[in-house]
Amino acid sequence: MNIPLCDLYAQYLTIKADIDAAITRTIVHSSFIGGEELQAFEAEFASYCESKACVGVGNGTDALYLALRGLGVGPGDEVITVAHTFIATAETITLTGARPIFVEIKEDTMLMDPDALESAITSRTRAIIPVHLYGQPCDMDGIMEVASRHQLKVVEDAAQAHGARWRGKRVGSIGDVGCFSFFPGKNLGAYGDAGAVVSQDEQLIRRIRMLANHGRMDKYMHEYEGVNSRLDGLHAAVLRVKLRHLDAWNEARRRHARQYMEALRDSGAKLPVVHPHAEPVWHLFVVRVGDRDSMQTVLQKQGIAAGVHYPVPLHLQPAYKYLEIPEASLPVTERVAAHVLSLPMYPELSRDQIEVISRAVIEAASAERLEARRACAF
Ligand SMILES: Cc1ncc(COP(=O)(O)O)c(C=O)c1O
């Protein structure tokens, strides 16, 4: 049996008629750039995120970059985030001319530790980017409290967390601005690169909309220089169809997470911890195991595609050598990165498939324990 990490074709088959009709409709109307599909999607996604406004952009990386620029972050500023994330989170800080500052994550949730923020704040700090990694909402109480005390902006990186809630509120709607990726494998994915920014601040969204469209006020009048980063009409049409299914798909992911939790309870693998105020959407189901690389190889041999998100924390990446952050500076982050393993997770997974995966993990973990005992005996 081959089980991928995520199966986009299986999902397409469940909504084929609506997707095909939406694509045809967009082509018939030639609504490729701007147009009614985009406008409708922006309104529907803003409402889904319980936010006042939304602007579609080219991808999640641009969503973060444009949000930071819209908030006025630029050269000389510092922005605090975590090193246990995809590079886009930090890359976009650098793109604005600011400097990324990495803080620790919490050992249990693997998310930004609000207690680590205070000591990272300087007179140059402008913003904080919490990352709702794996579909797990960060501790937004702690983060918002520090941010408001220091008058810092909060840019939520919600690229992996469409629909997740913190204390009943949708992620993306809690900070000053929320940034989403619609990369195909995300909980809400387009058929190519796409992204969006949401906010309760309609003026901010207006600014970001202009930045994403060459600083345009009018066709050939430009208030400032921007970029070309728009959400295509075809993607908007696809996303509108998929948005109608998102809650059901997230519910399926929750069901799968419950089954994994139950099956792997005594496996020896460290299971995800959910904060009592969090309602995650399980973009990934990430366990921690002793010998991650050999477990991944064992699963691969059985046709199970497990992933690693992410093997090398950002502060230890060649791209961030210039920050001169030595190894062991973020011990929790580094420990987590060494042990994380993402098991297959997508709505269309069957109970049988999860059973097969869980059995394989249990067997691999017990073989590993046996091996360790043998090694100790010599
Ligand atoms: C946490 C996080 N932030 C930002 C991004 C960037 O999104 P995109 O790939 O759409 O540019 C991603 C995408 O993988 C992500 O996982």
Side-chain angles (χ1 to χ4, degrees):
M1 190 193 290
N2 266 334
I3 310 178
L5 193 58
C6 144
D7 189 343
L8 298 177
Y9 187 62
Q11 185 187 67
Y12 168 64
L13 292 179
T14 68
I15 50 173
K16 184 176 181 313
D18 287 346
I19 290 282
D20 293 356
I23 289 174
T24 305
R25 189 175 65 234
T26 311
I27 295 171
V28 167
H29 293 164
S30 297
S31 298
F32 300 122
I33 307 288
E36 59 223 51
E37 295 294 335
L38 178 63
Q39 270 179 19
F41 173 70
E42 287 178 343
E44 288 158 11
F45 194 63
S47 153
Y48 182 83
C49 293
E50 296 162 1
S51 295
K52 284 215 177 104
C54 165
V55 54
V57 297
N59 51 65
T61 307
D62 285 356
L64 287 161
Y65 168 69
L66 292 161
L68 289 168
R69 283 236 4 228
L71 289 168
V73 173
D77 294 337
E78 289 177 355
V79 177
I80 300 173
T81 190
V82 288
H84 183 54
T85 180
F86 181 59
I87 189 169
T89 313
E91 203 174 37
T92 49
I93 298 169
T94 317
L95 265 176
T96 66
R99 191 178 178 88
I101 304 294
F102 298 120
V103 294
E104 264 297 19
I105 52 174
K106 287 184 72 106
E107 182 97 48
D108 55 355
T109 59
M110 301 185 270
L111 302 168
M112 179 179 272
D113 183 354
D115 294 336
L117 290 171
E118 203 84 43
S119 62
I121 294 171
T122 70
S123 58
R124 292 180 295 279
T125 310
R126 291 292 306 277
I128 302 172
I129 308 185
V131 184
H132 305 302
L133 204 69
Y134 309 148
Q136 301 277 353
C138 294
D139 175 353
M140 291 307 287
D141 293 5
I143 293 165
M144 294 304 288
E145 192 275 318
V146 176
S148 83
R149 200 150 28 82
H150 292 269
Q151 292 168 351
L152 303 176
K153 300 292 183 191
V154 175
V155 177
E156 293 179 69
D157 183 341
Q160 300 190 3
H162 319 69
R165 291 182 187 275
W166 171 260
R167 275 191 194 272
K169 286 188 186 160
R170 292 276 197 214
V171 300
S173 71
I174 305 165
D176 294 273
V177 64
C179 301
F180 290 86
S181 163
F182 303 127
F183 182 82
K186 296 291 197 263
N187 288 35
L188 179 62
Y191 287 162
D193 278 315
V197 183
V198 301
S199 180
Q200 310 295 3
D201 181 347
E202 289 170 283
Q203 283 313 310
L204 175 63
I205 292 296
R206 187 181 162 272
R207 233 173 9 256
I208 294 172
R209 188 183 296 287
M210 284 175 63
L211 275 170
N213 192 20
H214 304 290
R216 265 195 182 118
M217 298 177 290
D218 204 337
K219 191 162 184 187
Y220 294 118
M221 284 302 289
H222 308 268
E223 190 168 318
Y224 36 74
E225 284 184 317
V227 295
N228 176 357
S229 182
R230 299 173 297 226
L231 174 61
D232 295 333
L234 279 167
H235 290 314
V238 166
L239 289 166
R240 287 187 71 201
V241 173
K242 288 190 164 199
L243 184 57
R244 298 203 289 271
H245 299 274
L246 183 56
D247 282 338
W249 288 337
N250 283 343
E251 194 44 51
R253 288 172 184 271
R254 284 191 193 106
R255 225 173 26 247
H256 300 337
R258 280 196 296 274
Q259 192 187 338
Y260 270 133
M261 292 282 206
E262 180 62 29
L264 297 176
R265 209 177 33 194
D266 303 318
S267 65
K270 206 180 231 179
L271 299 178
V273 171
V274 178
H275 192 285
H277 299 322
E279 214 180 285
V281 288
W282 302 102
H283 174 57
L284 293 168
F285 189 86
V286 178
V287 296
R288 278 173 275 177
V289 292
D291 188 344
R292 186 263 314 288
D293 294 338
S294 79
M295 168 93 67
Q296 190 182 20
T297 310
V298 169
L299 295 182
Q300 239 150 23
K301 281 190 186 142
Q302 297 175 53
I304 299 166
V308 177
H309 303 88
Y310 296 92
V312 179
L314 295 185
H315 66 293
L316 303 181
Q317 294 276 354
Y320 291 106
K321 243 193 177 127
Y322 76 97
L323 291 175
E324 295 179 351
I325 305 172
E327 210 168 323
S329 304
L330 297 170
V332 180
T333 297
E334 291 168 36
R335 198 158 49 241
V336 162
H339 295 286
V340 282
L341 185 69
S342 311
L343 302 181
M345 173 56 92
Y346 51 92
E348 297 74 19
L349 261 179
S350 68
R351 282 194 71 79
D352 288 351
Q353 284 174 313
I354 296 176
E355 223 175 278
V356 168
I357 300 161
S358 303
R359 220 175 305 126
V361 170
I362 292 166
E363 276 165 24
S366 77
E368 191 189 301
R369 277 199 299 277
L370 202 64
E371 189 65 31
R373 269 206 297 276
R374 264 202 214 111
C376 280
F378 286 105

